[in-house]
Each structure stands twice: as C-alpha cells, then as structure tokens.
Amino acid sequence: MPKLKTHRGAAKRFKATASGKFKRSKAYKSHILTKKDHKRKRHLDTDTFVSDADIKSVRHMLPYA
C-alpha cells in the first residue's frame, strides 16, 4: 500500500497531543482587533481542542500524527 499524503493545511493548524487529541487555535484573532476588548483577545490566545464531531476528519487529514 502506498504512503498516505498529509494535508499540509491541516498540518499547520492542528497538533496531536500524547493522549491522541488534537490542539487547535481559536479564530478571530488576526485583524480588526481594536473593537475587541482585552479579555476577549486574551481568551482567543489560548489553545483548545478539536471537537469530537471533527476528530475523524482531522485524523484522516493527518494520518501520521
């Protein structure tokens, strides 16, 4: 069986943890930041996990993670 290709866009966005979950960054932190308050921007900085509904598709895109 041939080697599987990694989805390069997904590889840049998701990192696998030791327990098998995937970390991701939150959206809405790239521009138009002046109208967002400090607390909102601070919470957008923290990493979170991919939801259970999306883990199957992320695992498919990152076969060797």
Side-chain angles (χ1 to χ4, degrees):
M1 186 143 169
K3 290 190 277 187
L4 298 171
K5 289 205 172 193
T6 297
H7 189 289
R8 298 312 297 161
K12 294 167 188 172
R13 287 170 172 83
F14 305 110
K15 298 286 178 232
T17 63
S19 63
K21 294 181 179 180
F22 288 96
K23 282 198 317 186
R24 67 168 180 87
S25 297
K26 291 181 181 172
Y28 307 111
K29 187 69 198 311
S30 58
H31 59 85
I32 315 177
L33 298 174
T34 51
K35 65 174 77 170
K36 298 169 186 162
D37 63 6
H38 298 297
K39 180 180 177 181
R40 181 175 169 192
K41 289 189 282 190
R42 189 169 61 245
H43 286 297
L44 288 173
D45 249 354
T46 60
D47 287 343
T48 184
F49 294 107
V50 172
S51 69
D52 292 337
D54 297 324
I55 285 204
K56 185 178 177 183
S57 57
V58 173
R59 201 177 299 282
H60 183 74
M61 289 187 281
L62 302 173
Y64 301 108

